[in-house]
Amino acid sequence: MDIVLFGPPGAGKGTQAAAVCAAANVPHVATGDIFRKNLKEGTALGQLARGYMDRGELVPDQLVCDLVADRLSQADALGGALLDGFPRTVVQAELLERWLTAHGRRIDVVLNLVVPDEVLVRRLSGRRTCRACGASYHVDHNPPRTAGVCDACGAAEVVQRDDDREETVLARLQTYHRETAAVLPWLRARVAVTDVDGTLPIGVVQDLVHSALG
Ligand code: AMP
C-alpha cells in the first residue's frame, strides 16, 4: 500500500508516521529526513540540499523525485511505503504518479493533516528534534524527560532544527502555501483524501488516522 501523509510543516506528520507505518506494514520515506541524514554525513546530496533547506525553499523537483524513485525501488518498499513530505509540488505529484503506474502501483491512501498557520508557527518554533533518531519534542507541551536527551533513543542530541528558527519557519509556511497547497486539489481529483484535524491531541489524531487506513 502506498500512502501519502500530507500537511504543512509542523502538522504532525513525523509524529504520526511511526504508527501509520506499523499499521500498514510499510517503511517510512520522509524526504526531509533523507536530506538531513545526508547533510549530517556531509554527502554531495546534503551539500546540494543545504542552501534550499536553510532558506526554507524546496529542493529542485527532479533531484527529489530521483531520490524517492530510488528509495521506492528498494526491497523493503516494494510492497508500498509511507511518503512523508513528498510530493510537495504538482510536478512531484505527477512524476510520482507516473513512476507508480509504471511499477503497477498507485497512491492508495492520502491522509491530510489540517492545522492553521498560527498553530504551526508556535509548534515549529518550540519544536526540538533528536538529531540521532528524528523523534520530535516541544519545549512546552512535550519536553524530553531529561533536557536535551532523547526519551526514545537516549542520545544527547535533542536540539532545534536549523530550519525551525522563526525566520525560516515563516519562509517554509510561505513555500507551503505558494507551492505545496496546490498538490491537495490535484490529489483530491484522483484519490479519496481523508482530512484529519491535526490540532486534536496526538492520540486522537492517531486513532482517526488509523481508522482511515481501513
Ligand atoms: P521536512 O522535514 O519535510 O520539513 O523537510 C525539510 C526541508 O527539506 C524542506 O524545507 C525542503 O527544503 C526539503 N525538502 C523535503 N522534502 C522535500 C520535497 N518533497 N521537495 C523539495 N524539498 C523538500
Side-chain angles (χ1 to χ4, degrees):
M1 186 192 274
D2 284 293
I3 305 167
V4 170
L5 186 52
F6 195 83
K13 300 189 296 294
T15 301
Q16 295 298 331
V20 178
C21 289
N25 193 25
V26 291
H28 182 203
V29 175
T31 41
D33 287 352
I34 298 175
F35 288 130
R36 275 184 293 281
K37 182 165 180 280
N38 277 273
L39 208 63
K40 197 174 164 194
E41 291 169 357
T43 68
L45 178 67
Q47 296 300 327
L48 227 134
R50 162 170 266 143
Y52 298 101
M53 294 173 80
D54 284 349
R55 291 189 298 273
E57 294 171 3
L58 296 182
V59 175
D61 287 330
Q62 196 62 53
L63 188 76
V64 187
C65 290
D66 288 348
L67 192 87
V68 171
D70 188 56
R71 180 66 188 89
L72 293 181
S73 309
Q74 289 170 16
D76 64 333
L78 292 180
L82 173 69
L83 293 164
D84 165 356
F86 180 92
R88 253 173 155 108
T89 65
V90 171
V91 171
Q92 291 180 16
E94 285 170 345
L95 289 170
L96 171 67
E97 184 184 50
R98 199 174 310 159
W99 189 92
L100 289 173
T101 306
H103 293 80
R105 294 161 63 168
R106 66 191 167 101
I107 301 171
D108 295 293
V109 176
V110 178
L111 303 165
N112 175 38
L113 297 181
V114 185
V115 178
D117 274 10
E118 57 276 18
V119 178
L120 296 171
V121 173
R122 282 203 302 275
R123 278 192 185 175
L124 289 166
S125 319
R127 180 162 77 174
R128 299 293 179 268
T129 307
C130 175
R131 259 199 312 226
C133 77
S136 250
Y137 299 92
H138 190 281
V139 282
D140 301 323
H141 323 126
N142 178 31
R145 283 191 293 272
T146 307
V149 179
C150 181
D151 295 347
C153 78
E157 296 208 50
V158 177
V159 295
Q160 183 172 44
R161 266 170 54 173
D162 285 344
D163 60 352
D164 280 345
R165 281 168 316 188
E166 194 157 349
E167 59 279 18
T168 316
V169 162
L170 297 177
R172 287 164 68 201
L173 289 178
Q174 277 172 3
T175 300
Y176 175 80
H177 289 295
R178 198 178 51 240
E179 302 186 53
T180 307
V183 178
L184 201 53
W186 187 96
L187 288 166
R188 286 195 205 282
R190 290 160 179 80
V191 195
V193 175
T194 302
D195 296 308
V196 177
D197 179 352
T199 64
L200 295 169
I202 290 175
V204 178
V205 174
Q206 192 170 317
D207 290 344
L208 291 170
V209 160
H210 201 271
S211 49
L213 293 173

